[in-house]
Amino acid sequence: MARKEFGPQPWLFPNPTVLVGTVIDGKPNFATFAGCGIAGDKPPTISIAVHRQRYTLKGIRQNKEFSVVIPSVNLIKEADYCGLVSGVRSDKVRDCGFTVFYGTLKSAPLIEQCPVNLECTLLKRFDVGVHDLVIGKIVQTYVSEECLTDGKPDIMKIKPIVFSMGSVPRYNAVGEYLGQGYHIGKELKK
Ligand SMILES: Cc1cc2nc3c(=O)[nH]c(=O)nc-3n(C[C@H](O)[C@H](O)[C@H](O)COP(=O)(O)O)c2cc1C
């Protein structure tokens, strides 16, 4: 297969599209992040790559708490908007019509309209070039009842927004079901 080299690129196909919530100077703010992943399982931890200029970083530094919120495809414009403007100059909660609620933490704002909300406390912060890699310890997970099947989260009901870089940054919906995880590969076992 012929291949083209692009040099070092942070291209993972796909990335999630999440909203990171913070409270900054007493006000909730949300910013869009695609640089987000699972850091570990025990304890459940999540990583976000936060550019040092982000207003969001101020909130994480102030309170050592933040949220990771998964919007559904119906909030695609709001999700993009939160990545286009900074909370320094705008009230994104008001502009997007988000209904904010709080769980166990005082400074990790959550969004009523979003199906999955994670509350995190700051575990560690690493300097990675122009970004801070922020590791959050997940202290509570909220999933909307209507996004459950047999009492468990169902990605086809959550309808997350898939983000990818490449020729043009783009959003996609989740595609077709391929098979059961930790199971379908058993067919290749000798
Ligand atoms: C799809 C998308 C993904 C983004 N991913 C990141 C990211 O991983 N890290 C980051 O620092 N900024 C990311 N941004 C940019 C921030 O969301 C943007 O600068 C935002 O205005 C920051 O808001 P704030 O200043 O209120 O913190 C992304 C933007 C978009 C649209």
Side-chain angles (χ1 to χ4, degrees), residues 31-45:
T32 312
F33 279 71
C36 174
I38 297 165
D41 229 359
K42 286 189 184 117
T45 45

Side-chain angles (χ1 to χ4, degrees), residues 29 31-35 49 51 54-56 82-83 85-87 92 163 171:
N29 182 58
T32 312
F33 279 71
H51 194 286
R54 300 286 174 261
Y55 192 46
T56 292
C82 288
V85 305
S86 174
K92 293 190 247 184
F163 178 75
Y171 301 109

Side-chain angles (χ1 to χ4, degrees), residues 16-18 20 22 24 29-36 48-57 79-90 92 131 163 165 169-171:
T17 307
V18 303
V20 171
T22 46
I24 310 167
N29 182 58
F30 292 93
T32 312
F33 279 71
C36 174
I48 49 170
V50 190
H51 194 286
R52 220 149 287 123
Q53 285 172 353
R54 300 286 174 261
Y55 192 46
T56 292
L57 196 55
D80 196 53
Y81 177 78
C82 288
L84 288 171
V85 305
S86 174
V88 175
R89 285 168 297 279
S90 345
K92 293 190 247 184
H131 287 85
F163 178 75
M165 293 298 290
R170 60 182 283 167
Y171 301 109

Side-chain angles (χ1 to χ4, degrees), residues 59-116:
I60 295 172
R61 283 190 171 131
Q62 268 181 9
N63 303 300
K64 309 210 166 9
E65 294 177 0
F66 63 94
S67 63
V68 174
V69 178
I70 301 180
S72 296
V73 290
N74 65 310
L75 291 174
I76 183 69
K77 287 183 186 157
E78 289 81 354
D80 196 53
Y81 177 78
C82 288
L84 288 171
V85 305
S86 174
V88 175
R89 285 168 297 279
S90 345
D91 182 344
K92 293 190 247 184
V93 170
R94 181 203 59 206
D95 295 348
C96 292
F98 291 149
T99 306
V100 171
F101 71 100
Y102 291 86
T104 55
L105 303 177
K106 284 192 174 68
S107 304
L110 309 169
I111 303 176
E112 191 70 50
Q113 291 96 328
C114 292
V116 180

